[in-house]
């Protein structure tokens, strides 16, 4: 077992060193087909079924650029505040890895589609950071390796590896920031917030599903430290493929503490890739990496330069949605949420779902309660995304049934269960399962009288003015009616019938 890294206290690390951040975020584009072939592009197919000779790098196969992927890339570049290149071209990035069947990746090198941008990122307390974007370039994804037989799921100790080329050739945009200075103690928080902004942005554009748990959006976090007062940048590490907002925040904090401990002890930082381990909350060394890695880039000879029509660029610019930070400010104000309430929604990735539910007629607080509460609980239990389980329209309908008195919260949870199981809309589930609240006074009165007769000691207490004793009778009535009674009306009837008996 690897020895644990020495860590310096976070506050002490920041007293001695200045953190400098950088991010490379890979966004898989939601096109129908792949970047350079007509193979279907969707998640979850049987291994090695969404492939063509182009994806497998077979002799004689030639790439053809996906025009929709180029449009999406331009849209994303514009939304990042970038300039769009009058002409950009693809290049071959040469390296060998089993999930890279051609032994090179078609990417962009010195002529990216978009360059020189800036993204506004707002932290939970309203602090604004402007993150400088160096470039956003188009490329294709690699396949996926699964290492079998080891304890960690990594290649070390595995008995064998399986390769799935379904992901090979999926269109990607890689967004690369410039070094980010001045984050100080907010560095971990900024990292998570930046990736959230990118996620919200690509979803608003409709260019990616941006599901981090599926790898639609992946973040490589670069962290370095330099002694206070020093201008020269420190040696950086690159923590690869961090796949949740919380993990981005924790990985940055960990690397700051780890690097500070090494530097304070007189050691030096190795420039390398590192892997984040969610279970232990640690990073581990990957492979040494140099700024001068020789990928032997050269222009892709089988593809022409990409020369966008200026009219198309302006058409895409005019169609850009509201910026994520501006949208969040507007929604937070419209909904009247506190900072903590709104952050719960953002952290849960539920902004779109909540907005859709409110647009369908639900009150914001009720929508927040259901999405961050019961729906998220079920989603976590099923290892699914909350938005995949139920639609905003159905949640709004469920809330309306509760507010109209046709359902209690308890019954509504059963209805939600039915909706998630595919039994239909909330109204259909209520009808098929017979879950509607009983509000008929005659049925309620009969149940109350029976419960009072069965507990004469409780009846005597109520008649003596001990109103709190009514809870036992109310509980008995609710049990008898399988939770389908209006509890407030039952309480009124208990007190009335007790005094009349």
């Amino acid at each position: 077992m690897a020895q644990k890294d020495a860590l310096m206290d976070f506050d002490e690390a920041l007293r001695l060193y200045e953190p400098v951040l950088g991010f490379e975020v890979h966004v898989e584009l939601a096109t129908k087909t792949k970047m350079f072939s007509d193979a279907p592009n969707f998640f979850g197919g049987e291994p090695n079924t969404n492939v063509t000779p182009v994806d497998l790098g077979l002799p004689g196969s030639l790439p053809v650029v996906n025009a929709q992927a180029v449009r999406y890339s331009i849209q994303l570049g514009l939304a990042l505040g970038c300039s769009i290149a009058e002409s950009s071209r693809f290049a071959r990035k040469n390296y060998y890895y089993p999930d890279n069947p051609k032994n090179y990746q078609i990417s962009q090198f010195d002529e990216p589609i978009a360059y020189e941008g800036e993204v506004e990122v707002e932290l939970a307390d309203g602090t604004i950071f402007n993150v400088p974007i160096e470039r956003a370039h188009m490329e294709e994804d690699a396949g996926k390796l699964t290492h079998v037989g080891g304890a960690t799921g990594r290649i070390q100790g595995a008995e064998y590896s399986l390769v799935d080329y379904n992901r090979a050739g999926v269109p990607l945009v890689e967004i690369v920031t410039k070094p980010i200075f001045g984050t100080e103690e907010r560095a971990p928080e900024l990292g998570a917030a930046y990736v959230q902004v990118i996620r919200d942005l690509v979803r608003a554009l409709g260019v990616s599903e941006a599901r981090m748990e599926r790898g639609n959006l992946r973040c490589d976090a670069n962290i370095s430290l330099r002694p206070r007062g020093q201008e020269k940048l420190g040696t950086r590490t690159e923590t690869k493929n961090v796949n949740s907002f919380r993990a981005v925040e924790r990985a940055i904090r960990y690397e700051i503490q780890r690097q500070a401990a090494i530097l304070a002890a007189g050691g030096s930082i190795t420039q390398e890739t590192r892997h984040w381990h969610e279970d232990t909350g640690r990073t581990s060394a990957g492979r040494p990496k140099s700024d001068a890695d020789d990928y032997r880039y050269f222009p892709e000879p089988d593809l022409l330069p990409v020369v966008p029509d200026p009219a198309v660029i302006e058409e895409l610019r005019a169609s850009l949605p509201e910026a994520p930070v501006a949208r969040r400010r507007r929604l937070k104000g419209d909904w009247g949420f506190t900072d903590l309430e709104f952050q719960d929604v953002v952290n849960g990735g539920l902004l779109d779902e909540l907005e859709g539910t409110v647009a369908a007629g639900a009150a914001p607080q009720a929508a927040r309660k259901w999405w961050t509460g019961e729906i998220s609980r079920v989603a976590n239990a099923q290892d699914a995304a909350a938005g995949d389980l139920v639609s905003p329209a159905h949640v709004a309908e469920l809330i309306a049934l509760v507010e109209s008195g046709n359902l209690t919260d308890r019954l509504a949870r059963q209805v939600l269960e039915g909706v998630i199981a595919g039994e239909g809309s909330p109204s259909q589930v209520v009808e098929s399962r017979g879950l509607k609240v009983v509000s008929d006074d005659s049925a309620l009165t009969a149940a109350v009288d029976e419960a009072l007769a069965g507990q004469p000691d409780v009846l005597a207490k109520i008649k003596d003015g001990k109103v709190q004793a009514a809870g036992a009778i109310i509980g008995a009535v609710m049990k008898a009616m399988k939770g389908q009674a209006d509890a407030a009306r039952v309480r009124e009837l208990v007190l009335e019938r007790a005094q009349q008996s």
Side-chain angles (χ1 to χ4, degrees):
M1 185 175 180
Q3 186 175 357
K4 286 188 177 181
D5 297 315
L7 300 178
M8 181 181 286
D9 176 75
F10 185 72
D11 292 335
E12 178 64 10
L14 289 172
R15 187 183 71 80
L16 296 173
Y17 304 102
E18 176 192 357
V20 180
L21 306 181
F23 299 101
E24 298 161 23
V25 175
H26 294 77
V27 179
E28 286 187 347
L29 301 179
T31 52
K32 292 181 179 179
T33 56
K34 292 186 180 179
M35 188 73 218
F36 302 111
S37 81
D38 60 359
N41 174 27
F42 66 87
F43 179 84
E46 288 295 314
N48 298 306
T49 55
N50 297 345
V51 294
T52 69
V54 174
D55 310 309
L56 297 176
L58 298 182
S61 60
L62 292 173
V64 177
V65 175
N66 185 326
Q68 186 62 58
V70 174
R71 285 179 64 93
Y72 282 173
S73 301
I74 293 171
Q75 276 184 286
L76 181 49
L78 291 169
L80 294 167
C82 290
S83 298
I84 304 301
E86 293 181 4
S87 174
S88 69
R89 62 179 175 178
F90 289 100
R92 290 190 181 182
K93 180 181 181 181
N94 295 274
Y95 65 95
Y96 172 74
Y97 209 60
D99 58 5
N100 182 30
K102 299 190 294 288
N103 291 342
Y104 63 84
Q105 176 191 33
I106 302 179
S107 182
Q108 291 189 305
F109 179 46
D110 54 346
E111 298 181 52
I113 187 73
Y115 59 93
E116 293 293 335
E118 187 175 82
V119 173
E120 188 178 51
V121 178
E122 183 175 20
L123 303 187
D125 66 353
T127 301
I128 297 292
F129 279 93
N130 292 309
V131 175
I133 304 297
E134 179 178 300
R135 57 189 279 148
H137 62 261
M138 299 180 287
E139 60 186 23
E140 60 179 340
D141 212 344
K144 182 178 180 181
L145 282 169
T146 301
H147 305 296
V148 182
T152 65
R154 299 194 181 277
I155 194 169
Q156 293 83 0
E159 296 176 14
Y160 59 92
S161 298
L162 301 173
V163 63
D164 178 9
Y165 289 119
N166 279 351
R167 198 174 68 184
V170 166
L172 283 179
V173 171
E174 180 176 351
I175 303 165
V176 182
T177 70
K178 296 179 180 180
I180 305 168
F181 302 97
T183 61
E184 300 298 344
E185 75 280 358
R186 312 298 293 274
E189 184 185 357
L190 174 69
Y194 169 72
V195 179
Q196 284 183 346
V197 166
I198 298 299
R199 192 277 310 271
D200 291 350
L201 189 63
V202 299
R203 282 189 175 178
L205 289 166
V207 303
S208 175
E209 293 182 4
R211 297 273 295 274
M212 295 189 78
E213 74 279 7
R214 289 184 176 181
N216 298 143
L217 189 147
R218 309 191 292 273
C219 175
D220 299 341
N222 293 277
I223 302 103
S224 68
L225 300 180
R226 61 180 178 183
R228 291 289 171 186
Q230 177 179 297
E231 290 190 14
K232 183 181 178 182
L233 293 176
T235 302
R236 64 186 173 88
T237 62
E238 181 182 357
T239 304
K240 301 285 287 184
N241 294 333
V242 191
N243 66 354
S244 75
F245 304 135
R246 180 171 177 266
V248 171
E249 185 166 352
R250 294 176 69 203
I252 293 171
R253 177 179 286 268
Y254 182 90
E255 273 299 290
I256 289 173
Q257 293 181 269
R258 185 188 72 85
Q259 292 184 25
I262 292 171
L263 293 172
S268 60
I269 304 301
T270 301
Q271 185 163 330
E272 62 188 354
T273 63
R274 295 188 67 84
H275 302 293
W276 170 251
H277 303 276
E278 185 65 31
D279 54 345
T280 61
R282 299 164 53 197
T283 65
S284 65
R287 61 181 177 85
K289 187 165 184 178
S290 166
D291 285 326
D293 284 340
D294 184 12
Y295 290 115
R296 294 179 292 116
Y297 281 102
F298 64 86
E300 169 56 66
D302 295 327
L303 293 171
L304 292 170
V306 176
V307 183
D309 184 338
V312 171
I313 295 175
E314 292 313 308
E315 171 200 331
L316 294 174
R317 192 190 307 275
S319 70
L320 292 179
E322 187 178 18
V325 169
R327 178 184 178 224
R328 288 186 187 183
R329 288 181 191 144
R330 175 178 57 81
L331 291 177
K332 182 172 178 289
D334 289 349
W335 295 340
F337 286 176
T338 66
D339 290 344
L340 286 176
E341 288 171 341
F342 193 73
Q343 201 59 39
D344 278 347
V345 175
V346 171
N347 289 344
L350 297 168
L351 210 57
D352 292 342
E353 287 76 10
L354 205 72
E355 186 176 26
T357 306
V358 173
Q365 284 290 3
R368 185 189 68 82
K369 168 192 163 185
W370 279 97
W371 280 108
T372 62
E374 185 64 14
I375 299 171
S376 289
R377 185 192 67 77
V378 175
N380 290 336
Q382 296 187 11
D383 195 23
D388 287 347
L389 298 182
V390 60
S391 71
H394 280 164
V395 176
E397 183 182 346
L398 185 71
I399 291 169
L401 288 169
V402 173
E403 292 181 346
S404 66
N406 287 306
L407 290 177
T408 62
D409 273 3
R410 178 182 173 186
L411 292 175
R413 287 192 289 273
Q414 295 179 49
V415 172
L416 176 66
E417 176 187 276
V419 174
I420 291 173
E423 297 173 22
S425 70
S427 296
Q428 290 169 331
V429 174
V430 168
E431 186 68 28
S432 63
R433 291 196 178 190
L435 293 175
K436 192 173 183 179
V437 165
V438 176
S439 54
D440 175 20
D441 270 9
S442 61
L444 294 178
T445 299
V448 167
D449 287 346
E450 183 177 346
L452 287 170
Q455 300 187 58
D457 55 331
V458 177
L459 173 59
K461 290 179 181 178
I462 298 172
K463 294 183 75 170
D464 285 343
K466 297 177 181 177
V467 177
Q468 64 271 22
I473 303 299
I474 295 169
V477 173
M478 295 300 288
K479 182 178 180 180
M481 304 200 74
K482 299 179 181 178
Q484 290 179 240
D486 181 339
R489 183 57 182 150
V490 169
R491 185 177 190 281
E492 292 173 357
L493 288 172
V494 168
L495 297 178
E496 287 177 13
R497 301 297 287 180
Q499 296 306 321
Q500 293 171 5
S501 61

